[in-house]
Amino acid sequence: MSGPVLLLGANGQLGRTWRLQADLDELVCASRDGRLDDGSAAEIADLTLPESLPSLLDRIRPALIINAAAYTAVDQAEREEALAMAVNARAVGALGQWAATNHARIIHYSTDYVFDGQASRPYRETDATGPLGVYGRSKLAGEQALTASGADHLIFRTAWVYAPWGRNFLNTMLRLAAERDELKVVADQIGSPTSTWRIVDASLQALRHWPNALSLQDRILHLTASGQTSWHGFAQALIEQAHRQGRLSRLPRIEAITTEQFPTPARRPAWSVLDNTALQQRFRYNIDDWRHDLDQVMASIPSSS
């Protein structure tokens, strides 16, 4: 990469993984408050104010923009549509417009929530979208804004993202399993748990193969782990692994419940399995079953955590 690489959302679970995993020259990290989680300084990039982004980009002049920032509060988005749209759509459009004008590349991340979850086979990139709520609509609008900008970009749709750090299902389940004798977990939503390690590793492979000609329909690719499970199955697997590793002194009972038994303000897709075949073929990159990546992530968590 010739020129600076700007990482937006450097404090998020995906941004932190980029910082740890990617050996990129001239990596410039940016966060909303201008600080990193380790206390060091970063650039300020506030995606809630899309109009503020061009001045930052003009100063840094990145050759590549990695947008790991997003508004991800799915339920809260139902009450904050304008804010979700600012971060997930208008800011993405502003990044795209700058990149198109200044011949920069962009890697951007989207979500399974752009689909309605009514499929019975893994969603392909060409399948019709139909988001169920504000979050999904805002992420779809971001995809559309980046595509319309004409920037040289890749959009990776991912799902059920987790990491050893940050707010995510894995860390929530580990905390609750240590506190309770019984957990109730939804079993009628199906997806592919995907670690941030996998997302960054695949993104780096895409960077290495970027010179290959990409048509417009190849700009959106599905990036998830292979295989599928329910939230209940994911919880069982990670809690059993934690028990084997000695992180949990006992195994709580994990009761399978329905979505109706766990109501939320925003509707979730019942089926979130994405077909990752196109990414594997285009970038000559093999994606393992989700259980393999879970084992790797669990092994990376310090025993004192």
mmCIF file of all heavy atoms in Angstrom, residues 198-215:
data_model
loop_
_atom_site.group_PDB
_atom_site.id
_atom_site.type_symbol
_atom_site.label_atom_id
_atom_site.label_comp_id
_atom_site.label_asym_id
_atom_site.label_seq_id
_atom_site.Cartn_x
_atom_site.Cartn_y
_atom_site.Cartn_z
ATOM 1 N N ARG A 198 -11.119 -13.638 11.911
ATOM 2 C CA ARG A 198 -11.438 -14.135 10.573
ATOM 3 C C ARG A 198 -11.715 -12.978 9.622
ATOM 4 O O ARG A 198 -11.276 -12.982 8.461
ATOM 5 C CB ARG A 198 -12.654 -15.059 10.642
ATOM 6 C CG ARG A 198 -13.162 -15.522 9.277
ATOM 7 C CD ARG A 198 -12.129 -16.348 8.528
ATOM 8 N NE ARG A 198 -11.779 -17.553 9.268
ATOM 9 C CZ ARG A 198 -10.745 -18.342 8.945
ATOM 10 N NH1 ARG A 198 -9.965 -18.031 7.923
ATOM 11 N NH2 ARG A 198 -10.483 -19.439 9.660
ATOM 12 N N ILE A 199 -12.440 -11.980 10.089
ATOM 13 C CA ILE A 199 -12.796 -10.848 9.226
ATOM 14 C C ILE A 199 -11.549 -10.095 8.775
ATOM 15 O O ILE A 199 -11.387 -9.771 7.592
ATOM 16 C CB ILE A 199 -13.765 -9.905 9.964
ATOM 17 C CG1 ILE A 199 -15.102 -10.617 10.230
ATOM 18 C CG2 ILE A 199 -14.001 -8.634 9.154
ATOM 19 C CD1 ILE A 199 -16.036 -9.861 11.155
ATOM 20 N N VAL A 200 -10.645 -9.820 9.701
ATOM 21 C CA VAL A 200 -9.427 -9.085 9.347
ATOM 22 C C VAL A 200 -8.526 -9.933 8.460
ATOM 23 O O VAL A 200 -7.951 -9.437 7.475
ATOM 24 C CB VAL A 200 -8.687 -8.613 10.613
ATOM 25 C CG1 VAL A 200 -7.338 -8.003 10.252
ATOM 26 C CG2 VAL A 200 -9.537 -7.596 11.371
ATOM 27 N N ASP A 201 -8.394 -11.208 8.778
ATOM 28 C CA ASP A 201 -7.539 -12.080 7.972
ATOM 29 C C ASP A 201 -8.027 -12.154 6.533
ATOM 30 O O ASP A 201 -7.236 -12.058 5.585
ATOM 31 C CB ASP A 201 -7.500 -13.479 8.593
ATOM 32 C CG ASP A 201 -6.364 -14.324 8.052
ATOM 33 O OD1 ASP A 201 -5.196 -13.942 8.250
ATOM 34 O OD2 ASP A 201 -6.641 -15.365 7.420
ATOM 35 N N ALA A 202 -9.327 -12.303 6.349
ATOM 36 C CA ALA A 202 -9.887 -12.341 4.993
ATOM 37 C C ALA A 202 -9.748 -10.987 4.300
ATOM 38 O O ALA A 202 -9.493 -10.920 3.091
ATOM 39 C CB ALA A 202 -11.354 -12.757 5.040
ATOM 40 N N SER A 203 -9.902 -9.912 5.051
ATOM 41 C CA SER A 203 -9.753 -8.574 4.473
ATOM 42 C C SER A 203 -8.331 -8.356 3.980
ATOM 43 O O SER A 203 -8.107 -7.758 2.911
ATOM 44 C CB SER A 203 -10.118 -7.507 5.511
ATOM 45 O OG SER A 203 -11.461 -7.633 5.939
ATOM 46 N N LEU A 204 -7.350 -8.824 4.737
ATOM 47 C CA LEU A 204 -5.951 -8.693 4.319
ATOM 48 C C LEU A 204 -5.678 -9.514 3.059
ATOM 49 O O LEU A 204 -4.931 -9.075 2.174
ATOM 50 C CB LEU A 204 -5.022 -9.139 5.454
ATOM 51 C CG LEU A 204 -4.956 -8.204 6.658
ATOM 52 C CD1 LEU A 204 -4.232 -8.861 7.820
ATOM 53 C CD2 LEU A 204 -4.265 -6.894 6.272
ATOM 54 N N GLN A 205 -6.286 -10.692 2.968
ATOM 55 C CA GLN A 205 -6.149 -11.482 1.745
ATOM 56 C C GLN A 205 -6.756 -10.747 0.558
ATOM 57 O O GLN A 205 -6.181 -10.746 -0.549
ATOM 58 C CB GLN A 205 -6.822 -12.849 1.928
ATOM 59 C CG GLN A 205 -6.781 -13.753 0.707
ATOM 60 C CD GLN A 205 -5.403 -14.361 0.450
ATOM 61 O OE1 GLN A 205 -4.419 -13.994 1.096
ATOM 62 N NE2 GLN A 205 -5.334 -15.290 -0.492
ATOM 63 N N ALA A 206 -7.888 -10.098 0.777
ATOM 64 C CA ALA A 206 -8.503 -9.307 -0.298
ATOM 65 C C ALA A 206 -7.597 -8.158 -0.726
ATOM 66 O O ALA A 206 -7.471 -7.852 -1.920
ATOM 67 C CB ALA A 206 -9.853 -8.768 0.165
ATOM 68 N N LEU A 207 -6.938 -7.532 0.237
ATOM 69 C CA LEU A 207 -5.999 -6.455 -0.095
ATOM 70 C C LEU A 207 -4.865 -6.967 -0.972
ATOM 71 O O LEU A 207 -4.445 -6.288 -1.917
ATOM 72 C CB LEU A 207 -5.425 -5.842 1.180
ATOM 73 C CG LEU A 207 -6.201 -4.707 1.838
ATOM 74 C CD1 LEU A 207 -5.533 -4.297 3.142
ATOM 75 C CD2 LEU A 207 -6.300 -3.513 0.897
ATOM 76 N N ARG A 208 -4.380 -8.154 -0.671
ATOM 77 C CA ARG A 208 -3.277 -8.709 -1.455
ATOM 78 C C ARG A 208 -3.689 -9.006 -2.891
ATOM 79 O O ARG A 208 -2.860 -8.979 -3.801
ATOM 80 C CB ARG A 208 -2.757 -9.985 -0.779
ATOM 81 C CG ARG A 208 -1.971 -9.738 0.495
ATOM 82 C CD ARG A 208 -1.313 -10.998 1.015
ATOM 83 N NE ARG A 208 -2.256 -11.877 1.687
ATOM 84 C CZ ARG A 208 -2.517 -11.840 3.000
ATOM 85 N NH1 ARG A 208 -1.907 -10.961 3.768
ATOM 86 N NH2 ARG A 208 -3.373 -12.686 3.534
ATOM 87 N N HIS A 209 -4.967 -9.290 -3.098
ATOM 88 C CA HIS A 209 -5.449 -9.654 -4.434
ATOM 89 C C HIS A 209 -6.253 -8.533 -5.085
ATOM 90 O O HIS A 209 -6.843 -8.751 -6.145
ATOM 91 C CB HIS A 209 -6.301 -10.917 -4.351
ATOM 92 C CG HIS A 209 -5.512 -12.155 -4.069
ATOM 93 N ND1 HIS A 209 -4.947 -12.922 -5.057
ATOM 94 C CD2 HIS A 209 -5.162 -12.742 -2.898
ATOM 95 C CE1 HIS A 209 -4.301 -13.939 -4.516
ATOM 96 N NE2 HIS A 209 -4.411 -13.852 -3.210
ATOM 97 N N TRP A 210 -6.251 -7.353 -4.496
ATOM 98 C CA TRP A 210 -7.053 -6.254 -5.014
ATOM 99 C C TRP A 210 -6.734 -5.896 -6.463
ATOM 100 O O TRP A 210 -7.615 -5.517 -7.227
ATOM 101 C CB TRP A 210 -6.888 -5.021 -4.125
ATOM 102 C CG TRP A 210 -7.982 -3.986 -4.271
ATOM 103 C CD1 TRP A 210 -8.409 -3.364 -5.421
ATOM 104 C CD2 TRP A 210 -8.789 -3.460 -3.219
ATOM 105 N NE1 TRP A 210 -9.411 -2.482 -5.146
ATOM 106 C CE2 TRP A 210 -9.671 -2.519 -3.797
ATOM 107 C CE3 TRP A 210 -8.848 -3.678 -1.852
ATOM 108 C CZ2 TRP A 210 -10.596 -1.791 -3.049
ATOM 109 C CZ3 TRP A 210 -9.770 -2.957 -1.108
ATOM 110 C CH2 TRP A 210 -10.634 -2.028 -1.698
ATOM 111 N N PRO A 211 -5.497 -5.990 -6.924
ATOM 112 C CA PRO A 211 -5.217 -5.614 -8.320
ATOM 113 C C PRO A 211 -6.035 -6.380 -9.346
ATOM 114 O O PRO A 211 -6.169 -5.933 -10.486
ATOM 115 C CB PRO A 211 -3.719 -5.928 -8.461
ATOM 116 C CG PRO A 211 -3.176 -5.815 -7.077
ATOM 117 C CD PRO A 211 -4.272 -6.330 -6.198
ATOM 118 N N ASN A 212 -6.596 -7.543 -8.965
ATOM 119 C CA ASN A 212 -7.456 -8.252 -9.915
ATOM 120 C C ASN A 212 -8.640 -7.378 -10.296
ATOM 121 O O ASN A 212 -9.185 -6.645 -9.468
ATOM 122 C CB ASN A 212 -7.972 -9.564 -9.299
ATOM 123 C CG ASN A 212 -6.849 -10.549 -9.031
ATOM 124 O OD1 ASN A 212 -5.743 -10.384 -9.527
ATOM 125 N ND2 ASN A 212 -7.133 -11.555 -8.243
ATOM 126 N N ALA A 213 -9.046 -7.461 -11.548
ATOM 127 C CA ALA A 213 -10.175 -6.652 -12.009
ATOM 128 C C ALA A 213 -11.435 -7.031 -11.242
ATOM 129 O O ALA A 213 -11.753 -8.202 -11.063
ATOM 130 C CB ALA A 213 -10.395 -6.861 -13.504
ATOM 131 N N LEU A 214 -12.147 -6.022 -10.753
ATOM 132 C CA LEU A 214 -13.382 -6.240 -10.017
ATOM 133 C C LEU A 214 -14.524 -5.507 -10.724
ATOM 134 O O LEU A 214 -14.461 -4.304 -10.922
ATOM 135 C CB LEU A 214 -13.257 -5.718 -8.582
ATOM 136 C CG LEU A 214 -12.320 -6.475 -7.646
ATOM 137 C CD1 LEU A 214 -12.147 -5.706 -6.345
ATOM 138 C CD2 LEU A 214 -12.869 -7.862 -7.363
ATOM 139 N N SER A 215 -15.535 -6.250 -11.101
ATOM 140 C CA SER A 215 -16.703 -5.613 -11.677
ATOM 141 C C SER A 215 -17.600 -5.100 -10.556
ATOM 142 O O SER A 215 -17.411 -5.433 -9.386
ATOM 143 C CB SER A 215 -17.477 -6.621 -12.542
ATOM 144 O OG SER A 215 -17.908 -7.716 -11.760
#
